Amino acid sequence: MQSRAKMLTSTVIPLAVAAGVAGVVAAGSVVIHAANANPSASNKMSNPAAVRRSGVQLAACNPCKAKRGCNPCAAKGCNPCAAKRGCNPCAAKGCNPCAARGCNPCGGACNPCGGGAAKYSARCVIPRLKTASLCNPCAAKGCNPCAAKKGCNPCAAKGCNPCAAKRGCNPCAAKGCNPCAAKRGCNPCAAKGCNPCAARGCNPCGGACNPCGGAAQIDLTAAEAKNAYDCILKEMGQAYGKSGLWVAKTYAGWKRYSKVAYQSATHSNRFVQNYANPQGRQYGRFEKAGKMPEGAYLVKDSFTVSKDGKIGVGPLFVMRKMQAGFNAASGDWKYAMVMPNGAFFGETNGKNSKNMKFCIDCHITVAEDQDSMMFLPENLRN
Amino acid sequence: MRCCLISLIVLCACAAPGRADFMNALSAYDAGAYGVAFTEWRRLAEAGDLDAQVALAGLYEAGLGVPQNYRAAARWYQRAAHRGNVIARLNIGEFYSRGIGVVRDHARAWFWLSLAANGGSNWARRRRAVLAGTMAPGELSRAEALMKANRNEGQGNPER
């Protein structure tokens, strides 16, 4: 049975990167994620570089790296705003040397914390993770190291050393994993020679150089997953709608076959939900569904959650059952993936069909028994 | 004729690895290996691959595989938009309308959204309608002037 409990997926690469997230998970919380039950699939990419998950938290941590001249910490003894406005370079407009020159390290028009529409939702957040991350100067604030709480202000506290400040809550200092704190004692971003990651264009808080974690797996309770999904759904619709694809505009009105958003290891630990159109209703019979009829759509929308609880839109995955003979290799399924910026780069037997080959390569493993469909765990089925 | 055939073969030989690389990058993106995707797409984008330019802009915009950089995202969207990509056009239009990575400019936003709408994007059409409701008369006339200049040039690349 377990082997059948495979996720509907279009990828083959689980990224179960061990992370320090467990420490912030409330005791007794229901874990909403599912591992890939397909061992062959899980071995397809073992290259460490390939599994380096440098993306989701990458930019969240290093507000200083982008532009040396724009580093509010490096300049003038670390934080030029601390003295004037209580150490908040974002809130204090007149005090933000970056915004004034149109040099915003975090993007956006003039608020380096507000940013734009992209990486994470401006509205949606997982409160528990956000609270837990406040004492981690790297994971906590995507942009403003000073905006958090007074007690957690890395600039105000003890001579501006984010690592020295709180032994108990600073995973870097505790483990001696912050090479900058030891040498410079103050600004890990400003110290070029001291930051082995920055030198290579790598954020010290992301990827392999991540001294603070860089978790790929975030555990949410069912309630948290529900709230997160309900909050981000509208933004997902906006994002996918850019593609102009009919299915991207329509799918949210179809029956959903997952109770709540769950974390899919085969989708890079994104949180996903499963939908099918009326023609695909027999998907709800899961392992007993048999061959799907022509015209059936299976759709999975996705979102990401950062360690500090921020929520961002992920890709939309689409399968459409075509007429017999459409494509033997794909089991007559047409695959497509819509990026959060609305781009889609191919569909089976259509433009750039080869781009979707990786979907087929994964789903083909269950072609015979499950008509290339992968199913979510029983406890998450709706 | 033979020359054309040889050229075609050479072209195919050159193009094939690019598409394979793009596919690998897309696969890496799907797998969450954003650093790999970024490296490949940047290389392809710099070589002029239109899809890679849009994909790269998306990575910069979202901060995936690279620190978030709206200005870089805007630059790549703009490059792809100049070459007629509808997704790039609607995104750069949105950037201009909200002042993301570029100085807010409703006239340019309206202009790019219009080009995207003309390219078939209903999303851009709706967004443009909303935007138009917030624009001052001067902005609208400047936007229309941009469109007119574009039509006169007949190529959709008015900002060169």
Side-chain angles (χ1 to χ4, degrees):
Chain A
M1 178 60 79
Q2 191 184 5
S3 66
R4 286 176 171 267
K6 293 171 182 172
M7 317 278 294
L8 171 60
T9 178
S10 65
T11 185
V12 294
I13 308 155
L15 296 175
V17 179
V21 182
V24 297
V25 176
S29 63
V30 179
V31 178
I32 306 297
H33 67 84
N36 182 7
N38 182 351
S40 63
S42 66
N43 292 331
K44 282 206 172 182
M45 185 182 285
S46 55
N47 179 356
V51 293
R52 184 183 302 154
R53 185 177 167 78
S54 58
V56 175
Q57 281 93 17
L58 193 70
C61 180
N62 190 348
C64 308
K65 182 183 169 296
K67 293 218 168 197
R68 193 140 280 273
C70 183
N71 183 343
C73 296
K76 301 178 187 173
C78 190
N79 187 343
C81 304
K84 298 179 191 173
R85 296 286 188 110
C87 191
N88 188 345
C90 298
K93 261 189 185 173
C95 176
N96 187 341
C98 298
R101 283 174 292 166
C103 169
N104 186 335
C106 301
C110 70
N111 183 351
C113 290
K119 187 177 183 183
Y120 295 116
S121 168
R123 298 182 305 116
C124 306
V125 72
I126 308 292
R128 175 178 56 82
L129 295 179
K130 183 182 176 187
T131 303
S133 68
L134 281 178
C135 74
N136 182 341
C138 290
K141 286 283 167 181
C143 174
N144 185 349
C146 307
K149 286 182 179 175
K150 280 280 175 189
C152 189
N153 184 335
C155 293
K158 301 184 183 176
C160 189
N161 184 346
C163 297
K166 292 206 166 192
R167 284 260 151 194
C169 86
N170 186 337
C172 298
K175 293 171 192 168
C177 74
N178 186 342
C180 302
K183 295 179 188 173
R184 294 285 181 108
C186 179
N187 188 343
C189 300
K192 242 190 186 175
C194 170
N195 186 342
C197 301
R200 284 175 286 153
C202 162
N203 189 321
C205 298
C209 274
N210 186 350
C212 299
Q217 190 155 307
I218 306 288
D219 294 335
L220 299 184
T221 65
E224 286 171 336
K226 181 184 182 307
N227 290 339
Y229 186 78
D230 290 347
C231 185
I232 201 72
L233 184 59
K234 189 176 174 187
E235 289 175 46
M236 288 198 289
Q238 275 284 310
Y240 304 146
K242 290 180 181 177
S243 69
L245 294 178
W246 171 81
V247 63
K249 291 182 289 186
T250 313
Y251 83 90
W254 296 344
K255 180 172 170 54
R256 202 174 68 207
Y257 290 92
S258 45
K259 283 180 183 169
V260 293
Y262 60 95
Q263 197 166 20
S264 169
T266 53
H267 281 91
S268 178
N269 283 317
R270 297 178 181 103
F271 284 82
V272 300
Q273 296 250 43
N274 294 18
Y275 289 85
N277 68 343
Q279 289 92 323
R281 70 174 72 86
Q282 70 193 63
Y283 178 80
R285 299 180 68 214
F286 300 103
E287 285 83 356
K288 295 176 183 169
K291 290 270 184 191
M292 295 296 274
E294 181 184 342
Y297 271 97
L298 304 180
V299 174
K300 181 173 283 181
D301 54 10
S302 72
F303 64 90
T304 59
V305 177
S306 72
K307 280 177 68 179
D308 55 336
K310 291 175 184 163
I311 302 169
V313 176
L316 180 75
F317 304 96
V318 181
M319 295 172 69
R320 181 187 176 190
K321 189 71 169 185
M322 306 300 286
Q323 73 280 9
F326 170 76
N327 186 315
S330 73
D332 295 330
W333 287 99
K334 181 192 280 282
Y335 293 91
M337 178 172 79
V338 180
M339 315 282 272
N341 67 358
F344 74 105
F345 297 119
E347 54 182 4
T348 311
N349 277 22
K351 189 188 171 193
N352 296 325
S353 179
K354 284 183 179 175
N355 285 348
M356 293 293 106
K357 184 174 177 294
F358 66 90
C359 302
I360 298 173
D361 289 346
C362 181
H363 282 260
I364 203 72
T365 57
V366 290
E368 198 169 315
D369 295 337
Q370 298 176 186
D371 194 19
S372 299
M373 295 180 289
M374 295 186 183
F375 304 117
L376 60 165
E378 288 182 11
N379 63 321
L380 296 174
R381 295 177 182 181
N382 193 10
Chain B
M1 182 65 178
R2 201 174 72 179
C3 183
C4 288
L5 196 61
I6 290 169
S7 301
L8 193 65
I9 291 168
V10 169
L11 199 66
C12 290
C14 293
R19 293 324 298 177
D21 292 345
F22 187 93
M23 184 179 70
N24 291 338
L26 193 63
S27 176
Y29 171 90
D30 172 56
Y34 300 118
V36 175
F38 173 77
T39 304
E40 282 301 319
W41 275 334
R42 184 173 60 177
R43 192 175 58 76
L44 293 169
E46 284 169 351
D49 186 305
L50 191 55
D51 282 346
Q53 290 177 352
V54 177
L56 184 66
L59 292 183
Y60 274 119
E61 180 182 2
L64 298 173
V66 62
Q68 190 174 45
N69 187 333
Y70 291 123
R71 293 170 77 180
R75 262 198 317 274
W76 284 108
Y77 277 139
Q78 193 115 12
R79 280 175 74 165
H82 279 308
R83 297 174 61 195
N85 184 283
V86 171
I87 295 296
R89 286 178 168 182
L90 67 87
N91 276 292
I92 193 64
E94 182 71 351
F95 271 36
Y96 272 117
S97 77
R98 301 179 62 177
I100 298 170
V102 292
V103 176
R104 181 176 294 177
D105 185 331
H106 283 171
R108 284 185 197 281
W110 191 92
F111 166 74
W112 283 116
L113 289 170
S114 293
L115 289 186
N118 293 348
S121 170
N122 286 326
W123 189 96
R125 193 168 294 124
R126 286 194 301 273
R127 187 72 188 88
R128 181 185 59 178
V130 172
L131 179 67
T134 68
M135 289 169 69
E139 289 176 323
L140 266 174
S141 54
R142 194 159 66 84
E144 281 160 5
L146 282 170
M147 283 300 285
K148 190 176 175 186
N150 181 50
R151 273 195 300 272
N152 290 341
E153 288 182 16
Q155 53 181 349
N157 305 334
E159 295 184 347
R160 278 181 176 159

